[in-house]
Amino acid sequence: MRRDAEPYQRRPGRVDPVAGPGADGPVLYDAVLLDRDGTLVEDVPYNGDPGKVRPVPGARAALDRLRAAGLRLGVVTNQSGLARGLFTAAQLRAVNARVEELLGPFDTWQFCPHDERAGCACRKPAPGMVHAAARSLGTTPQRCVLVGDIGADMTAAGAAGAAGVLVPTSTTRPAEVAAAPHVVADLPAAVDLILSRAALVAGPAPRRAGTVLVVRSDSAGDVLVTGPAVRAVAAHAARVVLLCGPRGRDAGSLLPGVAELIEWPLPWIDGDPAPVDPRDIDRLTERLRAVHADEAVVFTSFHQSALPLALLLRMAGIPRVSAVSDEYPGSLLDVRHRVPDGLPEPERALSLAAAAGFALPADDDPRLRIRTDRLPPAPAGLGGPGYVVLHPGSAVPTRAVPPELAARIVRVLTAAGHRVAVTGGPDETALTAHVAGDTGVDLGGRTGLADLAAVLAGAGALVVGNTGPAHLAAALGVPVVSLFAPTVPYGQWGPYRVPAVRLGDAAAPCRDTRATVCPVPGHPCLAAVEPGRVLDAVRLLGVPADPPRAGLTPTAGGPDVAAPVAAGRGSAR
Ligand SMILES: [Zn+2]
């Protein structure tokens, strides 16, 4: 029943696009991986009896819709009953055969036969089976989405760089539901979400354009997550000019596809705006007129309005303007795009670009990217690649790593044999010195955005809050340990298409408040994270520690060092 050995006859690294009509748009996913027990079939603990296999409602039709869309399907399932002697390999094969008989064929089966004592790389929450499934399907984890019913499924997906969709059952813990990037009610709804997200970035047939002004004001992170959409526009335009704010300028200058950059603060976007100055607005309008753009695409977050700028673009004579707007735009917009809540920000932007006629070409993977040819050399003193970077600060206090926790994380990681570099801006040197302590390398004050990217490029992983550097790491393909305060949704703002482990209390009272200063004394959603969990996460992401050196005595077992096994669910599976 294993189909892994079948010759792979399509383009390497790519399966049939699941895009809409044109089938020339970006390919969000090549494959959907599914947990077995509790997701595809009702959970019968340690089931060795094919007669007890019961699909969840609507499973066959839902899976057939994925197959019809050209997606390949795989199963990734923990089967510790083998190690525990509760069923035989023959019984497992019989149960899996019955699953296929009822639900149709799967293109790969991955199961972990071990129990939690084995410390294997395959048992979820470890990402080994996601890697193996992607490999056997000729794709990468970043082009897979995993559907499962418990937190271990979501952790395994995230740690591999795959998307995750949680379909909770009555036994799923509330904390696991809160932490999941996306949550839906049942398997058919998970399929709806996967197919609708793919359709949203496909758009109508792409068109050619001359000079296009793209706009993304706000911070470096906002600009970076808009990068795939900017590349989509650039693929079909003769020239792309980016308008961004002062905080996004450095990120904008690293985006592929941008020919020219205009920096201008927009008082209806900035978090700490100056009063509106009519002369400044006049100057901006003239500057926009001088671009001689044939059209403009205005990217925003869901809480920002594109309409004030759309008016200026009209006054600057730009004939075609596209933006997301729930508010009635009158004649300000030619393409008024609407998107559902909860999309990852890069996909939200990609869907606007596609609606404007600029779908990302199928040969450009929709991940974040920056121009690494524009990076300075990394600072000396870091040794070879593979160190861990800890970036404790953030312009928004709720999104920073609490300083005491950050200092403890450095001690725990260095004690376990990791080299740790601590980064921060010129106004954070006291913070980085404190956090680096005696064992970390303090790079505070030396790292502008391009310098930080140069440091990150050699990193094995980045430990960071929900702030710009997380997206910079994603753009470099560097795994992220995300200490993510739940003030905004992780599924929208978490690191995109890069291996990541989320830590912190996702159900804390600050959830979805968008608070910039934590409303709960002590910022417990992050401050309560055990540093040992960060070490576990670094291991889960596959970052090896350096071999012990003379003079350095790792203090494993010290007060801050947690058990070395990635915390899984206490589930019996
Ligand atoms: Zn295993």
Side-chain angles (χ1 to χ4, degrees):
M1 64 185 307
R2 290 179 71 95
R3 247 170 290 277
D4 295 3
E6 271 187 8
Y8 189 68
Q9 296 172 340
R10 307 175 208 196
R11 286 175 293 167
R14 172 122 341 168
V15 193
D16 289 346
V18 67
D24 195 32
V27 183
L28 277 188
Y29 308 119
D30 292 330
V32 179
L33 310 179
L34 301 118
D35 170 55
R36 197 192 77 178
D37 302 323
T39 301
L40 287 173
V41 301
E42 284 168 20
D43 187 16
V44 179
Y46 304 117
N47 182 24
D49 178 0
K52 292 183 178 165
V53 173
R54 301 263 181 278
V56 302
R60 177 69 201 242
L63 295 173
D64 282 345
R65 286 165 58 213
L66 294 174
R67 293 181 181 113
L71 286 156
R72 305 193 102 198
L73 303 184
V75 180
V76 289
T77 176
N78 286 355
Q79 293 297 337
S80 66
L82 276 176
R84 298 176 212 272
L86 297 170
F87 50 74
T88 66
Q91 285 175 309
L92 176 62
R93 280 195 298 274
V95 168
N96 289 349
R98 180 63 178 155
V99 171
E100 285 210 322
E101 197 180 322
L102 292 167
L103 295 180
F106 292 90
D107 300 291
T108 183
W109 280 83
Q110 305 290 336
F111 64 90
C112 166
H114 311 109
D115 63 21
E116 63 276 9
R117 292 166 305 181
C120 66
C122 41
R123 182 177 164 80
K124 295 176 286 186
M129 286 193 288
V130 180
H131 286 288
R135 210 162 37 236
S136 81
L137 296 173
T139 186
T140 61
Q142 283 84 353
R143 304 176 70 82
C144 296
V145 53
L146 194 161
V147 182
D149 67 324
I150 60 173
D153 295 310
M154 298 301 101
T155 302
V165 177
L166 184 77
V167 182
T169 67
S170 57
T171 61
T172 310
R173 296 172 182 169
E176 296 175 326
V177 178
H182 300 279
V183 181
V184 294
D186 53 26
L187 185 56
V191 169
D192 288 342
L193 179 67
I194 290 164
L195 294 178
S196 67
R197 273 174 61 178
L200 269 167
V201 299
R207 31 188 288 281
R208 293 299 309 174
T211 296
V212 182
L213 177 70
V214 297
V215 183
R216 188 59 169 105
S217 206
D218 224 343
S219 68
D222 298 303
V223 171
L224 290 169
V225 298
T226 312
V230 172
R231 297 204 304 274
V233 175
H236 306 286
R239 185 162 168 269
V240 168
V241 179
L242 171 67
L243 171 66
C244 66
R247 292 185 297 136
R249 184 199 172 87
D250 290 348
S253 67
L254 292 175
L255 286 190
V258 174
E260 185 188 343
L261 192 142
I262 301 171
E263 175 189 334
W264 214 286
L266 304 181
W268 56 93
I269 298 284
D270 277 9
D272 187 19
V276 173
D277 174 356
R279 287 163 305 175
D280 181 67
I281 299 296
D282 286 344
R283 282 193 295 270
L284 172 58
T285 308
E286 281 315 301
R287 182 69 186 84
L288 296 173
R289 187 188 304 280
V291 173
H292 299 295
D294 299 295
E295 59 182 286
V297 184
V298 184
F299 296 102
T300 49
S301 295
F302 77 95
H303 59 283
Q304 297 167 340
S305 174
L307 297 186
L309 187 72
L311 177 61
L312 300 195
L313 294 169
R314 288 296 193 220
M315 295 177 71
I318 295 177
R320 187 174 192 266
V321 182
S322 303
V324 172
S325 186
D326 285 328
E327 300 89 350
Y328 172 65
S331 55
L332 295 182
L333 298 181
D334 300 281
V335 177
R336 177 202 191 182
H337 188 50
R338 314 288 284 272
V339 288
D341 288 339
L343 284 183
E345 286 291 308
E347 288 176 28
R348 188 177 194 275
L350 276 168
S351 84
L352 171 60
F358 308 114
L360 191 70
D363 62 359
D364 187 355
D365 199 49
R367 69 178 191 85
L368 276 49
R369 284 205 273 130
I370 58 167
R371 293 193 50 171
T372 50
D373 60 310
R374 293 192 176 178
L375 301 185
L382 290 172
Y387 44 83
V388 175
V389 174
L390 173 61
H391 189 90
S394 169
V396 179
T398 37
R399 302 190 196 160
V401 182
E404 275 320 305
L405 172 61
R408 291 169 67 208
I409 290 169
V410 171
R411 291 198 296 272
V412 169
L413 289 176
T414 52
H418 291 282
R419 286 168 292 143
V420 180
V422 182
T423 53
D427 55 344
E428 294 172 328
T429 50
L431 170 68
T432 58
H434 170 70
V435 169
D438 299 329
T439 59
V441 177
D442 177 12
L443 296 179
R446 290 193 273 169
T447 46
L449 193 83
D451 300 299
L452 179 58
V455 172
L456 287 175
L462 169 68
V463 182
V464 68
N466 173 25
T467 185
H471 304 299
L472 199 56
L476 290 160
V478 172
V480 178
V481 179
S482 177
L483 291 139
F484 195 97
T487 51
V488 295
Y490 185 77
Q492 266 172 271
W493 290 102
Y496 185 66
R497 283 186 174 240
V498 71
V501 176
R502 177 186 189 169
L503 297 177
D505 178 4
C510 60
R511 184 179 172 90
D512 294 338
T513 59
R514 300 188 55 242
T516 53
V517 175
C518 188
V520 187
H523 200 17
C525 67
L526 293 185
V529 170
E530 280 301 316
R533 297 288 307 280
V534 176
L535 179 60
D536 293 341
V538 167
R539 287 173 172 153
L540 209 56
L541 292 167
V543 183
D546 287 346
R549 283 176 294 168
L552 280 179
T553 317
T555 54
D560 267 338
V561 181
V565 175
R569 174 187 170 88
S571 159
R573 286 175 202 159

